[in-house]
């Protein structure tokens, strides 16, 4: 038996949602068909020797693309609890079949050397995957190293941080240099927009005032730090012609800056994350040993921000909803003894991105099904040159497919999640929708919402 015929489904893409059927041959989408009844579908499947799948009126979408995850990342004296195996298994369980992670060289380490090591680690991924090249220091060889990474090793894009100045961050002059090179290489530049100088000053002030817990983390990096850095990144991208992609937008001010830049005709790409749409800084009011779970960068914001970001989402201000999955067990976070400067930053999210955005967006009346697919599949694929191979149901696209049950209901329970992280910032949240069956390049990898035990490795996606 070769191939697959899925019938009685609504085919949902960023362009349309219509009833039909889809046939897969080998690893690719072979044919999009009109609606077929069971008899017609059986005949069509027999004609092609394809396995028949009754969609039962569910939706069929392209596999999700999460372009912002940190798996097996050494940071803050520890390493994220999810590696490429556990993180990608969780991604598949939630309907995400493609991940893009990062190469983050230690300062002084040549970027191609770090990229080679990272590519070897990423071979453990069950999702197809690409990598962004982070520049953590500008040196006389950085331009050549970036050219090797992009042109010879197939890295898709360049990442820079305007925060974390003592470890991996860059000053504005260096960001300008990176953007000039990236523009020549035609690679998008992802920028973590927080004003690192301002943050360091605020951190010193808080420490001097004896404020140390998770609330101090949020106070040290207030909304204006994000908006100021967004303005700078926008002006540098205008100056250099680099394609700017602003990661994890968390504030209404930054969203407004980006919306205005687009209105001026600037082609900036924008990303937000489910946690900024759903959670606010009241989480830091919990006792410190629980509040540490919510320490992420940028931090959760005052209560007016999530609704404003949701309105921006509905207005089309965002191209991508990614997770910034960067997970630590509670004990790893608690080991910092409540010192906000040492708490590892980041939360788990890769598994529930599709369901959270479906619930908030589609069920909540903010997004159409096609808008949802644009944000979690096609938008990220387009941003990093993966479209139409990924993020699409076009003939010839990789047969990464999600059979989505739009009627499914559940309460999220961290203990039931497929990643390794031992807690969830979405604990107890009611979500609708579920990835019942997932195929990665035509191979079934999830059945009844559960990843299959023996998964073949995913494939590296060079540009
Ligand atoms: O808290 C986070 N997001 N940690 C990961 C690194 C980053 O800033 O994206
Ligand atoms: Zn990140």
């Amino acid at each position: 038996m070769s191939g697959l015929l899925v019938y009685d489904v609504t085919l949902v893409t960023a362009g349309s949602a219509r009833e039909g059927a889809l046939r897969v041959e080998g690893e690719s989408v072979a044919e999009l068909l009109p609606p077929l009844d069971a008899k017609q579908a059986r005949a069509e499947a027999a004609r092609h020797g394809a396995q028949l799948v009754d969609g039962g009126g569910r939706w069929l979408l392209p596999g999700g693309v999460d372009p912002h995850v940190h798996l097996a990342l050494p940071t803050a004296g520890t390493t994220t609890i999810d590696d490429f195996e556990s993180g990608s298994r969780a991604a598949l369980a939630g309907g995400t079949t493609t991940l893009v992670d990062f190469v983050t060289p230690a300062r002084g380490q040549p970027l191609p050397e770090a990229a080679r090591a990272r590519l070897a680690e990423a071979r453990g991924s069950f999702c197809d995957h690409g990598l962004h090249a982070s520049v953590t220091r500008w040196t006389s060889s950085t331009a050549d190293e970036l050219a090797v990474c992009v042109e010879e090793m197939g890295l898709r894009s360049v990442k820079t941080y305007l925060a974390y100045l003592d470890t991996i961050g860059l000053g504005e002059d260096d960001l300008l240099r990176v953007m000039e090179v990236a523009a020549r290489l035609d690679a998008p530049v992802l920028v973590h927009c927080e004003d690192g100088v301002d943050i360091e000053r605020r951190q010193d002030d808080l420490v001097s005032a004896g404020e140390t817990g998770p609330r101090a983390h949020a106070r040290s990096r207030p909304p204006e730090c994000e908006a100021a850095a967004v303005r700078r990144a926008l002006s540098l991208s205008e100056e250099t012609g680099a394609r700017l992609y602003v990661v994890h937008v968390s504030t209404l001010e930054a969203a407004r800056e980006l919306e205005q830049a687009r209105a001026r005709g600037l082609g900036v790409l924008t990303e937000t994350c489910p946690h900024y749409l759903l959670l606010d800084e009241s989480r830091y009011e919990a006792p410190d040993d629980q509040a540490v779970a919510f320490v992420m960068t940028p931090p959760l914001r005052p209560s007016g921000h999530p609704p404003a970001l949701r309105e921006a989402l509905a207005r089309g201000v965002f191209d991508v909803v990614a997770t910034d999955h960067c997970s630590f067990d509670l004990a790893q976070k608690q080991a910092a003894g409540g010192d906000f400067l040492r708490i590892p930053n980041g939360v788990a999210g890769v598994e529930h991105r599709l369901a959270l955005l479906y619930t908030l967006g589609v069920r909540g009346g903010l997004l159409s099904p096609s808008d949802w697919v644009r944000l979690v599949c096609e938008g990220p694929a387009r941003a990093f040159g993966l479209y139409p191979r990924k993020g699409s149901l076009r003939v010839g696209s990789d047969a990464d497919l999600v059979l989505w049950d739009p009627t499914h209901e559940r309460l999220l329970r961290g203990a039931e999640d497929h990643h390794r992280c031992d807690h969830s910032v979405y604990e107890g949240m009611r979500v609708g929708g579920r990835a019942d069956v997932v195929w990665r390049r035509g191979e079934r990898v999830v059945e009844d919402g559960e990843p299959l035990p023996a998964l073949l490795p995913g494939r590296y996606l060079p540009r």
Side-chain angles (χ1 to χ4, degrees):
M1 185 135 327
S2 82
L4 192 69
L5 185 108
V6 192
Y7 76 104
D8 192 14
V9 283
T10 300
L11 301 166
V12 186
T13 65
S16 65
R18 60 184 168 85
E19 287 174 22
L22 180 146
R23 191 168 63 78
V24 172
E25 227 170 73
E27 298 194 340
S28 314
V29 176
E31 204 176 357
L32 296 172
L33 297 152
L36 305 174
D37 63 27
K39 192 170 160 203
Q40 291 169 321
R42 263 197 309 277
E44 194 62 21
R47 205 158 70 80
H48 292 281
Q51 189 198 349
L52 190 62
V53 177
D54 179 354
R58 288 170 286 184
W59 297 0
L60 192 69
L61 21 139
V65 179
D66 191 339
H68 189 160
V69 296
H70 303 274
L71 301 171
L73 176 72
T75 179
T78 184
T79 301
T80 55
I81 194 73
D82 280 304
D83 57 19
F84 281 91
E85 284 86 354
S86 65
S88 60
R89 187 182 287 278
L92 290 177
T96 291
T97 49
T98 301
L99 299 174
V100 193
D101 202 300
F102 298 81
V103 178
T104 312
R107 283 186 168 159
Q109 184 184 25
L111 196 41
E113 177 190 301
R116 266 188 291 279
R118 196 69 173 152
L119 279 169
E121 273 183 302
R123 276 193 214 118
S125 171
F126 298 118
C127 290
D128 286 355
H129 49 275
L131 292 173
H132 309 290
S134 305
V135 177
T136 54
R137 170 176 281 167
W138 179 269
T139 70
S140 55
S141 57
T142 303
D144 292 341
E145 291 179 17
L146 274 176
V148 170
C149 284
V150 172
E151 291 175 337
E152 293 174 27
M153 303 180 78
L155 273 66
R156 303 201 148 260
S157 34
V158 183
K159 170 81 185 280
T160 58
Y161 297 81
L162 288 174
Y164 311 130
L165 294 180
D166 54 338
T167 51
I168 55 175
L170 294 185
E172 240 177 276
D173 292 349
D174 289 342
L175 177 56
L176 174 80
R177 295 182 178 106
V178 170
M179 283 192 172
E180 283 170 346
V181 175
R184 284 203 293 279
L185 295 170
D186 194 26
V189 183
L190 298 90
V191 184
H192 174 127
C193 288
E194 286 188 302
D195 180 337
V197 176
D198 193 13
I199 290 168
E200 284 187 353
R201 187 180 51 74
R202 289 170 190 269
Q203 287 174 334
D204 290 344
D205 290 349
L206 285 158
V207 171
S208 306
E211 286 197 45
T212 56
R215 276 170 297 283
H217 171 72
R219 291 196 58 201
S220 68
R221 16 189 20 116
E224 55 265 37
C225 288
E226 184 174 77
V230 165
R231 278 192 293 277
R232 264 176 241 136
L234 282 167
S235 100
L236 292 175
S237 98
E238 270 185 292
E239 192 178 330
T240 57
R243 277 188 286 144
L244 173 63
Y245 177 105
V246 178
V247 296
H248 50 47
V249 173
S250 66
T251 61
L252 64 96
E253 292 87 350
R256 200 178 295 133
E257 293 288 347
L258 291 162
E259 194 170 14
Q260 286 167 358
R262 286 178 169 209
R264 294 200 304 276
L266 204 71
V268 56
L269 294 167
T270 53
E271 171 198 284
T272 188
C273 308
H275 40 269
Y276 301 120
L277 294 163
L278 288 162
L279 307 173
D280 68 38
E281 70 172 9
S282 62
R283 303 293 177 139
Y284 300 123
E285 298 309 321
D288 283 5
D289 65 340
Q290 300 305 306
V292 286
F294 298 89
V295 169
M296 66 195 62
T297 301
L300 295 175
R301 302 303 188 178
S303 60
H305 290 260
L309 291 178
R310 295 198 288 265
E311 282 168 24
L313 188 78
R315 288 200 304 279
V317 172
F318 295 108
D319 300 289
V320 172
V321 174
T323 61
D324 196 6
H325 182 97
C326 186
S327 61
F328 303 92
D329 274 349
L330 213 46
Q332 288 177 285
K333 289 183 164 252
Q334 290 166 343
D339 172 0
F340 75 102
L341 297 176
R342 293 196 305 117
I343 301 166
N345 293 187
V347 295
V350 75
E351 183 165 348
H352 299 307
R353 182 178 64 122
L354 268 62
L356 290 167
L357 200 68
Y358 169 79
T359 307
L360 163 80
V362 182
R363 288 269 185 94
L366 298 175
L367 304 172
S368 69
S370 288
D371 293 332
W372 170 59
V373 168
R374 177 180 66 79
L375 288 159
V376 295
C377 307
E378 184 173 317
R382 279 186 185 278
F384 298 107
L386 291 159
Y387 182 86
R389 179 172 175 189
K390 303 292 187 188
S392 140
L393 296 181
R394 282 206 205 171
V395 172
S397 295
D398 282 355
D400 296 339
L401 307 171
V402 178
L403 188 60
W404 184 261
D405 177 1
T407 65
H408 193 274
E409 300 289 332
R410 67 194 147 137
L411 291 183
L412 295 183
R413 296 282 174 220
E416 292 164 14
D417 287 345
H418 293 85
H419 48 66
R420 256 186 220 137
C421 179
D422 63 359
H423 63 284
S424 169
V425 294
Y426 303 111
E427 184 68 33
M429 207 172 267
R430 177 169 292 282
V431 292
R434 187 182 77 155
D436 280 354
V437 186
V438 180
W439 293 267
R440 189 206 55 194
R441 284 181 280 101
E443 181 206 347
R444 194 179 288 238
V445 287
V446 171
E447 183 72 63
D448 202 18
E450 284 297 318
L452 297 178
L455 295 171
L456 294 173
R459 198 171 276 168
Y460 175 52
L461 300 164
R463 97 185 203 139

